[in-house]
Amino acid sequence: MHKTLVKMVSKRRLSKSEDKESLIEDASKTRKQPLSKKTKKSHIANEVEENDSIFVKLLKISGIILKTGENQNQLESYQLLPWGLNILQPAIIKTLFEKLPEYFFENKNSDEINIPRLIVSQLKWLDRVVDGKDLTAKIMQLISIAPENLQHDIITSLPEILGDSQHTDVGKELSDLLIENTSLTVPILDVLSSLRLDPNFLLKVRQLVMDKLSSIRLEDLPVIIKFILHSITAMDALEVISELREKLDLQHCVLPSRLQASQVKLKSKGRASSSGNQESSDQSCIILLFDVIKSAIRYEKTISEAWIKAIENTASVSEHKVFDLVMLFIIYSTNTQTKKYIERVLRNKIRSGCIQEQLLQSTFSVHYLVLKDMCSSILSLAQSLLHSLDQSIISFGSLLYKYAFKFFDTYCQQEVVGALVTHICSGNEAEVDTALDVLLELVVLNPSAMMMNAVFVKGILDYLDNISPQQIRKLFYVLSTLAFSKQNEASSHIQDDMHLVIRKQLSSTVFKYKLIGIIGAVTMVGIMAADSYYNLLLKIKDCLEVTSLLQLVHSCSEQSPQASALYYDEFANLIQQEKLDPKALERVGHTICNDFQDAFVVDSCVVPEGDFPFPVKALYGLEEYNTQDGIAINLLPLLFSQDFAKDGGPVTSQESGQKLVSPLCLAPYFRLLRLCVERQHNGNLEEIDGLLDCPIFLTDLEPGERLESMSAKERAFMCSLLFLTLNWFREIVNAFCQETSPEMKGKVLTRLKHIVELQIILEKYLAVTPDYIPPLGNFDVETLDITPHTVTAISAKIRKKGKIERKQKADGSKTSSSDTISEEKNSECDPTPSHRGQLNKEFTGKEEKTSLLLHNYHAFFRELDIEVFSILHCGLVTKFILDTEMHTEATEVVQLGPAELLFLLEDLSQKLENMLTPPIARRVPFFKNKGSRNIGFSHLQQRSAQEIVHCVFQLVTPMCNHLENIHNYFQCLAAENHGVVDGPGMKVQEYHIMSSCYQRLLQIFHGLFAWSGFSQPENQNLLYSALHVLSSRLKQGEHSQPLEELLSQSFHYLQNFHQSIPSFQCALYLIRLLMVILEKSTASTQNKEKIASLARQFLCRVWPSGDKEKSSISNDQLHALLCIYLEHTDSILKAIEEIAGVGVPELINSPKDVSSSTFPTLTRHTFVVFFRVMMAELEKTVKKIEPGTAADSQQIHEEKLLYWNMAVRDFSILINLIKVFDSHPVLHVCLKYGRLFVEAFLKQCMPLLDFSFRKHREDVLSLLETFQLDTRLLHHLCGHSKIHQDTRLTQHVPLLKKTLELLVCRVKAMLTLNNCREAFWLGNLKNRDLQGEEIKSQNSQESTADESEDDMSSQASKSKATEDGEEDEVSAGEKEQDSDESYDDSD
């Protein structure tokens, strides 16, 4: 060791001698330098300067040697040798720190060596510090006076310089410095993360940083967030994250990012390039910030869960930030375990309207660079949302696809298109519609980008079999837009493929494929013609292509009436959407007009002659044709020719070789003609207004007595004639409904009256022609084999099946009894039963029966346009109101009659149901035909929901007029019949028509205000205007009323109609309408009580009963209203006790067919509905009761115990009703909800009893004694199910027995906890039936030995395994005595 030291010292001396010359030379150069003008130094100063220069040179030389690394080990040992000596180290450190301030502000010279930084770096290499405390004090003093850049270096070097013992002191010093100097936040937090400090101290520092978060620069944010996230513990994670997300978003994410977005726009316009650098720097900081967050949540499950929880707990819409959505996306892409949790949170937020489209758009536009790296995860989330059943969630998923395509790069765009194509080929109708809608938007949004991915979209042409006609239109619109865009060279291959597919499909003999070809060809023509039109240059090539394509479609469809009709309809849609060039339309229109006249129009004075089965007459003409100029529609002869040609007979009225025109094309061809004329003459239809007046060649349609004598073929012929006539009149009404002259309005209303009359006649024919299949009225169907789902046909099938399976069933009465059994089975399994048989008995008037029956034939009637409902502006005048003495008849033609009003309201209601309240999306087999639900709504679905709502809102005022008129009608009716609406002098038919109109109006209002689109900001004005109309009916107010005021006034306006409600169905729709209004209000507590009060009034009202039936109330409607009542009442338990304790005993004591006097809707027939709802709501209510803890106050314990006493009392009342009402559905409900109630008792009540037993012993014992009797009855019910071997009941027995056994064990545990175990004893059980009689079975002896029941003295004998049979020898008095004894023991 000594030799090594000598050797090292000699080497150091040698080194000094070698450098001596250079030092002297530098010193001489220094002396020769001129003096400063401001300062003159003395001789002593020169010496000091010489000494300083030597000091600096030595430091620099040592630093350079260390830096170069020559003979690294020896030099390091030599360099650090003085530092390692205990005697020298303090002196050297003192000398260095004294000299250090002199070089703080010295600029780097040519050798680029910073003296202070060099000295600090020497301290890092110390193996041991002699006086750590002194060194710490000196370093902190140095930091306080050093410049900022050196402060940063010294602070970051502290962990390597100081020992562990100094960490606490340094941490305190740094925390103080953190308060004083914000600019040092980053290095201080970086060092604090590396020191060994007390966790509580770090929490204080973290809170200090959180408070200063608003003043921190963006570039410092990543380090600060890293420190905060690393200091989070499981206990405070949610609190810290909640505070962090609140401050971080407002101060450091959104605002800088929005600034960057504006800078991007400036840069794109060629503005200052300096802003581009700043933008890039800020964006890099934000990306780095999210990288820090990603790293934290990837390795800390606590942080990710807390972040999701913080977002989930945010209730207000305004509190949701862009940062929240970004974080959900990041966690979704980082932690696979939380995906389901995030999806659930997102779904709930979307449903509640907290996360809207504007927020999502801002998220993508602000943080698209961050989200771009998560493209695959975002698409996976979108795919999951598209599988939802909720339309709002599906829309949100489609927006994810849209914005991902808009803001991400080419690769992500390709992934988006690929995902959408997968959805289109999935077989799920809702997914296909949504994906096609997104593709339509993307084509408009960014056609050039979509052009690059056209090859993927083109691949859908291989999956056309699984797409509905409406979806085919969208698909071919997308493809045609891409194929005939301005980039013709790049899209020529798409054109070729589309032409190939269309020609192939058109040449097919199968209607399904021909339909694809027709729709595709017409859609493509629309795009080609529109492109030429908007360029104001009709290219010869395009013109030839359009003409040849239309000729091809016409030639391929003329042999099939259905295909021709489809072609006319599609061509009419093309003209209606104004996608055809005016010049081309003019040429086509002339041909269409001539062809229509040649095919369907004849002279009215020339009656066709031929071998017709019925005499031909010109009927339904609106004017007398005394001249030779009159025209008529040649319908019956055409239909006869078509039917006769089918049978192979000779053509009677057609010349040989002449084209046979199908009457099936009459209505479609007229629609095409009307739209051509309308478009050419700006809506003027004078050229064809003669078709509104002209008669039709028919025969006497009223069947009279000859109906029974007609053959099946003749009846079918008459049905077809009626369907074709009705469809002709429907298209006539479509065409002329918007005419403004009174004369034309009168004619349109007359045609509407004809439609209603013909429907009544048609219903008579259909009633005796059950197997009849009408001619199609809508032709965009996937198959021609469409059959109406008539009740008659179904009943025939049931009868046929019944005869095969059960030979004993030969008469109709037994068939009906089997229907009753199947109905009963359905009611017991379904909590909201739907009785199809009763549905057709709700109305007894002719109009109602007709509408119910004809509803099954909806697909065979032509669709009414939405413009037709402008007829509702005509007033409703009834004969009863106009003329009470019945002397005269209403003579004004322009008035809308009740039957016509009902016809319009039913159609409008169906349209709103189809567009605004789509049914739950269902998974269907991949190859199953889809879109059948949309038959008859083809034109409607080519419009958006917003357009439909806007059109219907124009009708709110006339609908209010009709609603008030009907209200007055029933008020007058009740007054004349002394409060009885169905008195002896009532006109039954008119009463039921008006009642149906009332129901349909309420149904339309409900569908309108329940539309989910009102949650979108752009639709708020529509809602505001509609509510203003309703509130103005009550009193005229200002247009600038707040929304809450409008909602309140609208609620009161609609509530006033409850007095005149004529039927239970109307009452239910009124309640639902009022609930929809309340949902949009923020202060609905008071109105909620009004809903409950109104529902109770309806339940306590005597409703008119239908003819030949017990009740006109269907079970599902009663179920819905009863649920509404119990959910809105302030005390569910009191309401249940009132019904079960007052209403049911009244029913039991009344005669067989008499209802309860308090609740007239409660009958023996509807008891099962009341019982089911009360049991379900009782179980739902007790599940919401918090179990409570021992720390809760005494008052809370008493309140909860009282509540459970009431709940158990209600349960006991309901359970004991099965002794009287022991039908299968009642027992099924009892088994199902009885088990659920016992489970709730176990989870919610038993913890309460654990710590309430000592202080409230009597109450607890009384509660358990009551519950004991209920569990015994449940055990009896299990035995009853077994003895009757009813599998539908016994399937619930095992779970119920297990639950009862758990209750026994739980009560024993509660007694043990309260030192009352001796109060618990076991006894032998016997199985009994519902009446308490012992069940004698083969294994009764064995079962009684195994089954046991536990009985706490006053508590309850709980069935051990569920077989809660009771002891024969224990009477009620003995049980009470046992209870007292156990009570004494517990003392």
Side-chain angles (χ1 to χ4, degrees), residues 194-326:
S194 304
L195 299 179
R196 300 182 63 182
L197 300 173
D198 181 46
N200 294 327
F201 173 74
L202 286 177
L203 293 181
K204 295 179 181 178
V205 175
R206 184 185 68 201
Q207 190 57 46
L208 181 64
V209 175
M210 294 282 281
D211 295 338
K212 298 175 63 176
L213 205 57
S214 58
S215 61
I216 294 172
R217 296 174 300 177
L218 181 62
E219 55 267 23
D220 297 338
L221 203 54
V223 176
I224 295 169
I225 298 302
K226 181 180 179 181
F227 173 80
I228 293 174
L229 295 180
H230 284 187
S231 64
I232 286 179
T233 62
M235 299 296 294
D236 59 6
L238 181 59
E239 180 184 355
V240 174
I241 293 298
S242 299
E243 184 179 358
L244 181 62
R245 65 167 286 275
E246 197 173 322
K247 294 183 177 180
L248 189 61
D249 180 59
L250 292 177
Q251 304 296 334
H252 298 289
C253 286
V254 172
L255 293 180
S257 301
R258 290 187 186 278
L259 177 63
Q260 293 153 18
S262 64
Q263 290 171 346
V264 169
K265 294 179 181 178
L266 292 175
K267 186 178 178 183
S268 65
K269 294 179 180 178
R271 302 287 178 88
S273 61
S274 60
S275 65
N277 297 330
Q278 180 64 30
E279 169 217 338
S280 177
S281 173
D282 291 347
Q283 196 67 48
S284 299
C285 292
I286 289 181
I287 293 174
L288 184 59
L289 166 65
F290 283 112
D291 285 342
V292 168
I293 296 175
K294 283 181 191 177
S295 177
I297 62 178
R298 179 177 287 111
Y299 300 110
E300 289 292 338
K301 184 179 178 183
T302 305
I303 296 177
S304 61
E305 291 178 349
W307 217 305
I308 301 172
K309 193 69 177 176
I311 297 173
E312 187 180 16
N313 292 342
T314 306
S316 173
V317 177
S318 58
E319 292 177 1
H320 287 80
K321 314 294 182 184
V322 167
F323 190 61
D324 293 337
L325 267 181
V326 178

Side-chain angles (χ1 to χ4, degrees), residues 734-1009:
N734 279 339
F736 298 97
C737 63
Q738 299 188 75
E739 294 294 322
T740 56
S741 67
E743 182 185 1
M744 298 296 284
K745 281 185 176 181
K747 292 178 180 179
V748 171
L749 286 175
T750 304
R751 289 302 187 203
L752 204 58
K753 184 178 180 181
H754 291 160
I755 291 175
V756 175
E757 293 172 356
L758 288 172
Q759 286 189 163
I760 297 174
I761 297 172
L762 176 61
E763 192 268 340
K764 296 177 182 178
Y765 282 102
L766 291 175
V768 295
T769 318
D771 299 327
Y772 167 72
I773 299 177
L776 282 178
N778 303 280
F779 303 93
D780 53 347
V781 293
E782 298 180 47
T783 176
L784 297 177
D785 300 330
I786 297 178
T787 55
H789 302 287
T790 58
V791 179
T792 309
I794 293 174
S795 301
K797 290 181 181 177
I798 293 175
R799 284 195 295 269
K800 184 177 179 182
K801 184 177 180 181
K803 289 177 181 178
I804 294 174
E805 293 182 353
R806 298 184 180 93
K807 293 182 179 179
Q808 298 87 349
K809 293 185 179 179
D811 57 340
S813 61
K814 296 198 174 177
T815 303
S816 63
S817 67
S818 68
D819 293 344
T820 306
I821 293 172
S822 65
E823 179 181 308
E824 183 184 89
K825 180 179 179 180
N826 179 53
S827 67
E828 68 199 42
C829 299
D830 187 358
T832 57
S834 175
H835 303 291
R836 298 296 297 175
Q838 284 191 351
L839 184 61
N840 293 310
K841 297 179 183 178
E842 290 180 3
F843 309 107
T844 57
K846 286 186 178 181
E847 294 296 330
E848 289 69 30
K849 288 182 178 179
T850 302
S851 62
L852 285 171
L853 181 59
L854 293 182
H855 180 71
N856 297 310
Y857 294 87
H858 175 75
F860 301 94
F861 291 113
R862 295 290 291 177
E863 180 180 359
L864 291 180
D865 293 339
I866 197 72
E867 290 78 13
V868 167
F869 301 104
S870 61
I871 300 175
L872 290 172
H873 285 278
C874 299
L876 167 65
V877 180
T878 64
K879 292 178 182 180
F880 183 84
I881 295 174
L882 274 183
D883 186 4
T884 55
E885 297 179 0
M886 303 304 293
H887 286 310
T888 60
E889 296 180 354
T891 56
E892 287 194 57
V893 184
V894 291
Q895 299 302 326
L896 190 63
E900 293 79 47
L901 175 63
L902 178 59
F903 169 75
L904 291 174
L905 293 177
E906 284 180 339
D907 195 86
L908 180 58
S909 174
Q910 291 172 10
K911 282 180 165 56
L912 290 183
E913 182 181 0
N914 184 272
M915 287 296 293
L916 305 186
T917 54
I920 294 175
R922 297 181 180 89
R923 284 284 178 193
V924 293
F926 189 74
F927 292 104
K928 186 178 179 180
N929 291 329
K930 294 169 283 295
S932 58
R933 172 182 164 268
N934 298 324
I935 297 177
F937 299 104
S938 175
H939 303 149
L940 184 76
Q941 292 191 336
Q942 294 181 42
R943 304 191 182 200
S944 65
Q946 288 83 354
E947 292 180 73
I948 300 300
V949 170
H950 181 76
C951 292
V952 178
F953 271 157
Q954 307 302 316
L955 306 173
V956 171
T957 299
M959 286 194 296
C960 286
N961 293 334
H962 292 305
L963 195 63
E964 291 168 11
N965 289 337
I966 298 172
H967 167 78
N968 294 334
Y969 169 84
F970 283 109
Q971 291 282 79
C972 296
L973 196 64
E976 293 217 352
N977 289 283
H978 307 289
V980 181
V981 294
D982 55 347
M986 181 193 71
K987 296 181 180 180
V988 176
Q989 182 175 347
E990 185 179 53
Y991 173 84
H992 284 290
I993 293 176
M994 298 295 282
S995 176
S996 299
C997 289
Y998 209 152
Q999 178 186 341
R1000 291 298 182 182
L1001 281 167
L1002 293 173
Q1003 192 174 348
I1004 290 169
F1005 276 118
H1006 173 262
L1008 198 58
F1009 286 102

Side-chain angles (χ1 to χ4, degrees), residues 143-157:
I143 291 173
S144 63
I145 62 172
E148 184 176 339
N149 59 340
L150 188 59
Q151 285 178 325
H152 190 286
D153 292 337
I154 297 174
I155 292 173
T156 53
S157 302

Side-chain angles (χ1 to χ4, degrees), residues 1-9:
M1 180 69 182
H2 177 69
K3 292 180 180 179
T4 303
L5 182 60
V6 172
K7 185 176 181 180
M8 289 178 63
V9 172

